[in-house]
Every structure is written in C-alpha cells, then in structure tokens.
Amino acid sequence: MHLPQPTFKSVGSMSAVGLEKFNAVVVPVYSVLSGAPTLGISTMAGQMLSTMTLAKCNQSFAEILTDWPDFTGKSGEIIEIPLLRSGNLTRLFIVGFGTGSIDDSRKAGAALGRKVKSTGYSIFSTLVAGYDESLAHIVALSLSQYGWSIKSDYSKSDKTARAKGATTFTFSEALSEAIDRASVLAEATWTTRDLRSEEHTSELQSRRYLVC
C-alpha cells in the first residue's frame, strides 16, 4: 500500500487567499551570480506575491537573510521557519530554486516534497514561473512523496500518514495549466509504480510459498 498521493489546485487572486486556512507557506528564492538571493528573477508577479505573503506572515525577506547568512538560494536549499500565529498556519518554508531553470525547479520540488512528506499539510506556494519550469516542479513535488511498503498495513508511521491524509499544494491560477498537466503525469507515474510494487510483492509472496 502506498502513502497518500498529494493533490494540487489553484486560486484566483491573493485577495482570495486566507493564509489562516493553510498549515504552511512556501516562498521560492533564486540565486544570482552576484549579490544576495532574490525573491524573483523572471516575473514581477511572483516577486510581488512572495513579498505580500511574507508580510501577511509578519516576516521580512531582508531579516530572514540576516538570520540565515549562509543561505544562497541554490536549488533544493530550504529554511524552515516556525510561525507564532493562532490558527492552522505554523510553518514558512523558504525554498531555493537556483537559477529557476527546469532542472533547478525540479530539484526544488523534490527537496520540498521530501520535507513535507507524510505531514498532511495544506500548503500555499507563491511560485509564479513558466509552464515548463512549473510542470517540472509540481511533478517532482508529487513523485518525491511516493512510498510503498509490503509492511505498510502494519507500520505505525504509515498508518499515521494515511490518517493525516494527502498533502495539498495551492498555487496562483497562473499555474493552472501546468497543474492540470502535472496531475495527469504524476497520476500515471504513481499508478505505474503501484503496479510494479504489486508485481514485486506477489513475486516475493510466491517465493516465500515455494520455500515453505
């Protein structure tokens, strides 16, 4: 049995985003050839969304960089900041996207996916990027959370993960097309991995029967 498969959706505008309904917020950061990491390199929309979201979390990007001077924004680098707020929102993740390339976006997705695996969090991400970069990122988010074990039914941690439910990621509607495509690709890959795992499990059980 596999762990819960993450889900993805989009919202229309920042005004429609009530951060208190989420458990965590993700803000992408990019590395540059010279100077400090930046909130955006390709779109002003992404930079503005990240700035507004940080303000709603009572956080300053400049202060974050001061507190974590070794953070460079390289792909897969993550800062986890506890938020002292009432309600559901308890975590802020500053995630390095490197240059923002397809490969760096994929690496960032894999690192973040592993970070929040089995948490059941509802997460809002301020990522605004091109179609290909967004697609690679979202697919990596999903596949990095895949897990299968023949002992899953008896595993306390797996039972806890299933009880928490699937991790949900919410993005700007600018990513809606990439979300739709990524969901199809991720679903197909999860299904393929399930079938392979089931075949492997059946083979192991057959061998065990023969030995007995």
Side-chain angles (χ1 to χ4, degrees):
M1 180 179 294
H2 65 59
L3 298 176
Q5 183 174 347
T7 59
F8 305 94
K9 58 184 179 180
S10 61
V11 291
S13 64
M14 187 63 191
S15 59
V17 178
L19 292 184
E20 65 279 355
K21 68 182 180 181
F22 297 100
N23 303 118
V25 169
V26 172
V27 173
V29 173
Y30 301 87
S31 60
V32 292
L33 293 177
S34 61
T38 178
L39 287 176
I41 57 174
S42 59
T43 63
M44 284 298 296
Q47 188 170 0
M48 291 175 61
L49 181 57
S50 293
T51 301
M52 292 171 60
T53 302
L54 285 174
K56 284 192 173 186
C57 294
N58 298 318
Q59 297 287 322
S60 161
F61 185 53
E63 291 177 356
I64 291 173
L65 292 182
T66 299
D67 292 338
W68 280 271
D70 295 331
F71 182 78
T72 64
K74 70 178 181 180
S75 183
E77 208 174 358
I78 298 177
I79 298 174
E80 180 178 356
I81 303 174
L83 297 178
L84 302 178
R85 295 167 58 99
S86 59
N88 297 322
L89 186 60
T90 61
R91 290 289 183 275
L92 169 64
F93 295 105
I94 306 296
V95 181
F97 272 69
T99 63
S101 66
I102 294 175
D103 191 47
D104 280 353
S105 298
R106 182 184 297 110
K107 290 177 181 177
L112 178 60
R114 290 191 295 268
K115 185 72 173 179
V116 300
K117 184 176 181 178
S118 301
T119 62
Y121 280 174
S122 176
I123 300 171
F124 177 68
S125 173
T126 66
L127 175 67
V128 178
Y131 174 83
D132 291 334
E133 292 79 9
S134 301
L135 178 65
H137 177 70
I138 296 169
V139 170
L141 276 174
S142 180
L143 300 187
S144 61
Q145 296 194 55
Y146 183 85
W148 173 284
S149 172
I150 191 173
K151 299 179 180 178
S152 183
D153 288 340
Y154 310 101
S155 168
K156 183 177 180 181
S157 61
D158 284 6
K159 287 181 179 179
T160 300
R162 284 193 290 273
K164 291 179 179 179
T167 305
T168 301
F169 294 89
T170 300
F171 298 89
S172 162
E173 68 175 351
L175 274 64
S176 59
E177 186 178 353
I179 290 171
D180 291 342
R181 180 58 177 165
S183 298
V184 172
L185 293 175
E187 176 67 29
T189 306
W190 275 65
T191 300
T192 300
R193 289 182 176 181
D194 283 348
L195 292 173
R196 289 178 178 174
S197 298
E198 289 170 358
E199 289 173 359
H200 182 60
T201 300
S202 298
E203 182 180 351
L204 289 176
Q205 290 174 338
S206 297
R207 289 179 180 178
R208 186 179 305 167
Y209 176 78
L210 291 173
V211 170
C212 294

